[in-house]
Amino acid sequence: MQKKITALILTAGIGLFGLYTVLQFDNTADTEKSDVPDFAAISDVNAKKTAFFNYLQPAFDVVTAEVLAERALLTTWQTKATLTTDEQAQLQAMADMYKVTADTDQQVITTLLAQVDVIPEELVFSQSANETGWGTSRFAKEGHNFFGQWCFSKGCGIVPNQRDQGADHEVASFDSIEASVRSYFRNINRNQSYLPLRDIRSELRINDESINACALAAGLINYSERKEAYITEIRAMIRHNRKFWRDNENTDYRLCAAPKPIVTEIVPEESIELPETMTLTPDSTTIETANSALTIVESDKVTDVVENEPVATEEPLKKAAAE
């Protein structure tokens, strides 16, 4: 009997040790999110781009559908003289989400319609490729952060390797690519720094024109400290990768050569908490050489990020930033 008890104890002990070993291994294993492809392993440039865009596409489509559903509700409510109690509650929830205040329901609806709107995939995908080095940055692989989004509460994300002394920001971490895309949309659609983009989009709506990615890019002057150079770079990427876009015929690529982006002052945002609010700032760069070879160079800083080649050249180049 004593031998049986001893054997059971030994068996249980071995099992627990095995479990401990597995857990310990999991904690020290590669921290890449399991569903993020290894884009760096794809040597063919076109194959890498195709894989990157295909990875983003489902999340982009889901979030775009959500925005269009919200917009459809707003359009319906705009035609009503009085909203029901349930509709008013829905409207208030949407107003809170987009940080909108106004005196009447109709004023809230009008304001929201300028914010609750689509962002073209050409712009979304180009910025994402730019921010992550075509999905190879540490923040994309470890935290599904595909848009260089920062957060400011301890433990909210990934601490950059070369964060400036005294800085307290982290690079936001998300549970899924869908959450990352959703956060990007919300920030573009409600952050005061991107009011110029929303004004351009509203003007296009008023004139019954398509929502043009090249035109909207002018409203990203506050997305990077590199200002006009960043916009030039994003426009170059939109043009250069045109064969990948689904809505090619509705994009006027001549606008991607427009010389003057809209310049405005950055409006500071309050400190933010995940997942509802995020401040967008670039985190990594790529070098896209003249022969289209792609190399990732990670950066924690806003400066020295992304390409700086005139739009007239088909292939943009990027400056390297030290990690």
Side-chain angles (χ1 to χ4, degrees), residues 14-41:
I14 292 170
L16 288 173
F17 177 77
L19 177 60
Y20 168 77
T21 303
V22 169
L23 291 175
Q24 187 179 49
F25 176 79
D26 285 348
N27 286 337
T28 57
D30 191 346
T31 54
E32 292 185 14
K33 298 291 185 179
S34 60
D35 67 318
V36 178
D38 184 6
F39 296 111

Side-chain angles (χ1 to χ4, degrees), residues 104-121:
T104 67
D105 288 344
Q106 286 301 319
Q107 288 174 344
V108 171
I109 291 170
T110 299
T111 303
L112 280 171
L113 281 171
Q115 295 183 238
V116 183
D117 208 341
V118 296
I119 307 170
E121 69 175 31

Side-chain angles (χ1 to χ4, degrees), residues 45-61:
V45 173
N46 283 328
K48 178 179 289 187
K49 291 181 177 182
T50 299
F52 180 78
F53 295 142
N54 286 344
Y55 177 69
L56 288 175
Q57 195 79 67
F60 170 84
D61 288 344

Side-chain angles (χ1 to χ4, degrees), residues 9 14 102 127 153 185 223 243 258 290:
I9 292 173
I14 292 170
Q127 280 197 273
S153 59
F185 263 71
Y223 202 95
K243 67 181 179 181

